[in-house]
């Protein structure tokens, strides 16, 4: 790590080093600022909007709730996305949502055990009618899906927007992944190269590659131009639960039920580091911190969320507070917030 810092200074990148050090110090001070009961059923997914002002949570109930981050990080439940008929497993914001994307277009995508993928706008929510007939001074809103994509033969476990925002990928327990055209609202491609259920996927930052993984213990890298798998990484000994590309374009992280995180190098086509990260299944992994992906975040069924320094893979901070397994975690784009969602039905915001 010291040699890397010396090289950065020789290259005139003192400002970048200072920025990394500042973020590390900020993460070390992170504490819970908001804790909300997110649903009557366990929470399974969480995401923060690109403008860092909205948190979305998904639950076993099949609903996805939107929360506005206000002054002093006080969060307010503003609306609910209704349409899924079974557990939500994943959700994601469009890369330009809340920035310059029209709110009436597809701003959020979700997937579910009902074997569908649904896309949602942020415009024209309808006033909810409480089941008990009660009224509220601040009535909640509900949003119905813009489109529903059907085609998987089993539950859909993960969904992701292409960096261009024009396409959507999903993967399923039916062993396939699909690519969808959002503008045409149709399926573009189906691939079935895995031997068992798929749990996760991640687009490469330039949009040319897709990583997929699941219960067959292999991470496959697909060339989206040809639709072929060009690399298979092997090394985990239990199911792989999440994958995520770094913004640097050559590192890919995978996490597993074997309690480890592996860092794969696309240039070497091999693993470069293995983190014995947690004491139970690791549910999510995320790079964040600028063009170099300077930090990595992991969440686990051991009820902790951890932040790692990618310069030397050292532990920066362990986040605690949930009483149950953490199902999902997300950084905000500006790295000011971390949101976690858990089996204890709560989600927490840290800054």
């Amino acid at each position: 790590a010291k040699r890397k810092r010396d090289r950065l200074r020789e290259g005139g990148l003192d400002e970048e080093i200072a920025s990394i050090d500042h973020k590390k110090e900020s993460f070390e001070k992170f504490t819970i600022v908001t804790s909300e009961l997110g649903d009557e059923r366990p929470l399974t997914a969480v995401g923060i909007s690109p403008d860092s002002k909205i948190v979305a949570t998904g639950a076993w109930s099949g609903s996805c709730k939107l929360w506005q981050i206000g002054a002093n990080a006080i969060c307010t439940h503003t609306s609910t996305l209704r349409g899924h008929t079974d557990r939500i497993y994943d959700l994601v914001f469009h890369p330009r949502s809340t920035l310059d994307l029209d709110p009436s277009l597809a701003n959020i995508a979700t997937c579910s055990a009902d074997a569908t993928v649904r896309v949602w706008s942020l415009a024209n929510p309808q006033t909810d009618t409480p089941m008990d007939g009660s009224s509220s001074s601040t009535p909640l809103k509900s949003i119905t899906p813009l489109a529903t994509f059907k085609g998987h033969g089993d539950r859909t476990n993960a969904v992701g927007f292409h960096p261009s925002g024009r396409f959507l990928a999903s993967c399923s327990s039916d062993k396939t992944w699909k690519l969808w055209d959002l503008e045409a609202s149709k399926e573009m491609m189906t691939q079935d190269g895995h031997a068992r259920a798929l749990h996760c996927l991640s687009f490469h930052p330039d949009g040319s590659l897709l990583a997929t993984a699941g219960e067959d213990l292999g991470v496959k890298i697909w060339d989206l131009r040809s639709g072929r798998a060009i690399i298979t990484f092997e090394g985990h000994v239990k199911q792989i639960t999440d994958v995520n590309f770094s913004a640097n374009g050559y590192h890919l992280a995978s996490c597993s039920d074997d309690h480890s995180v592996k860092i794969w190098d696309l240039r070497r086509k091999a693993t470069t580091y293995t983190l014995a990260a947690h004491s139970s299944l690791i549910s999510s992994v995320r790079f964040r911190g600028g063009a170099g992906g300077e930090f990595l975040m992991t969440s686990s069924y051991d009820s902790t969320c951890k932040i790692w320094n990618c310069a030397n893979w050292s532990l920066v901070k362990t986040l605690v507070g949930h009483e149950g397994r953490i199902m999902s975690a997300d950084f905000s784009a500006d790295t000011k917030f971390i949101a976690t969602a858990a089996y204890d039905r709560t989600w927490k915001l840290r800054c």
Side-chain angles (χ1 to χ4, degrees):
K2 183 179 184 297
R3 289 195 298 271
K4 180 177 180 180
R5 292 166 70 89
D6 290 341
R7 288 196 300 271
L8 288 173
R9 287 196 171 95
E10 290 170 2
L13 297 178
D14 286 327
E15 291 185 5
E16 182 175 339
I17 294 172
S19 175
I20 294 172
D21 288 343
H22 175 70
K23 289 174 183 175
K24 180 175 180 292
E25 293 172 359
S26 297
F27 290 143
E28 290 171 345
K29 298 176 182 177
F30 265 36
T31 186
I32 296 171
V33 292
T34 293
S35 181
E36 297 283 349
L37 181 64
D39 200 90
E40 295 179 353
R41 304 291 306 282
L43 300 186
T44 51
V46 68
I48 304 177
S49 64
D51 70 353
S52 304
K53 294 181 180 179
I54 299 173
V55 174
T57 57
W60 276 12
S61 65
S63 68
C64 176
K65 295 181 180 180
L66 302 184
W67 309 76
Q68 188 75 35
I69 303 175
N72 301 316
I74 295 174
C75 297
T76 304
H77 177 204
T78 58
S79 55
T80 301
L81 312 183
R82 302 188 187 279
H84 284 296
T85 58
D86 207 334
R87 301 175 181 182
I88 288 179
Y89 283 125
D90 197 14
L91 64 85
V92 63
F93 281 91
H94 186 287
R96 303 304 303 173
S97 174
T98 67
L99 298 176
D100 52 18
L101 181 69
D102 187 331
S104 67
L105 299 178
N107 279 251
I108 300 175
T110 57
C111 66
S112 165
D114 65 14
T116 69
V117 174
R118 298 176 193 254
V119 293
W120 314 78
S121 77
L122 294 177
N124 303 317
Q126 304 298 310
T127 301
D128 265 348
T129 301
M131 296 294 290
D132 60 3
S134 62
S135 61
S136 171
S137 59
T138 56
L140 296 176
K141 305 288 185 177
S142 65
I143 300 173
T144 54
L146 281 179
T148 299
F149 295 105
K150 299 179 180 180
H152 283 297
D154 205 335
R155 67 186 192 188
T156 49
N157 295 317
V159 63
F161 279 101
H162 186 270
S164 70
R166 293 180 54 207
F167 310 108
L168 198 65
S170 60
C171 66
S172 169
S173 292
D174 67 7
K175 309 175 190 177
T176 72
W177 64 267
K178 294 179 182 290
L179 192 67
W180 310 88
D181 185 321
L182 287 172
E183 293 181 1
S185 295
K186 67 178 183 180
E187 180 184 319
M188 293 179 60
M189 182 189 302
T190 299
Q191 293 295 343
D192 58 358
H194 285 271
R196 299 185 68 180
L198 288 177
H199 290 318
C200 50
L201 55 81
S202 178
F203 279 107
H204 188 276
D206 72 7
S208 64
L209 305 174
L210 180 74
T212 58
E215 294 182 8
D216 65 6
L217 313 187
V219 179
K220 289 188 181 294
I221 309 298
W222 303 81
D223 183 335
L224 293 178
R225 292 162 294 191
S226 66
R228 296 179 178 178
I230 56 175
I231 303 173
T232 300
F233 292 126
E234 296 180 334
H236 285 293
V237 296
K238 289 188 177 180
Q239 64 175 328
I240 299 167
T241 53
D242 200 13
V243 289
N244 191 240
F245 273 109
S246 168
N248 67 23
Y250 54 86
H251 279 154
L252 174 74
S254 61
C255 62
S256 169
D257 194 5
D258 64 15
H259 310 174
S260 76
V261 172
K262 290 187 179 292
I263 309 299
W264 310 93
D265 191 320
L266 268 64
R267 302 165 301 180
R268 296 173 50 199
K269 297 183 179 181
T271 182
T272 61
Y273 203 84
T274 298
L275 282 167
H278 290 270
S279 60
S280 189
L281 179 149
I282 303 173
S283 53
S284 70
V285 62
R286 292 287 184 276
F287 281 103
R288 189 65 84 198
E294 293 93 355
F295 297 94
L296 185 76
M297 179 173 63
T298 58
S299 65
S300 170
Y301 282 15
D302 66 12
S303 303
T304 69
C305 181
K306 296 183 179 182
I307 303 171
W308 308 84
N309 185 345
C310 296
N312 54 14
W313 304 112
S314 62
L315 180 63
V316 175
K317 178 78 170 180
T318 298
L319 306 174
V320 298
H322 282 290
E323 297 179 359
R325 60 184 77 163
I326 298 179
M327 309 295 284
S328 178
D330 195 25
F331 276 118
S332 62
D334 58 12
T335 67
K336 291 182 179 179
F337 298 108
I338 288 176
T340 54
Y343 193 82
D344 63 13
R345 301 179 296 154
T346 71
W347 72 271
K348 301 183 188 296
L349 189 70
R350 296 168 172 85
C351 67

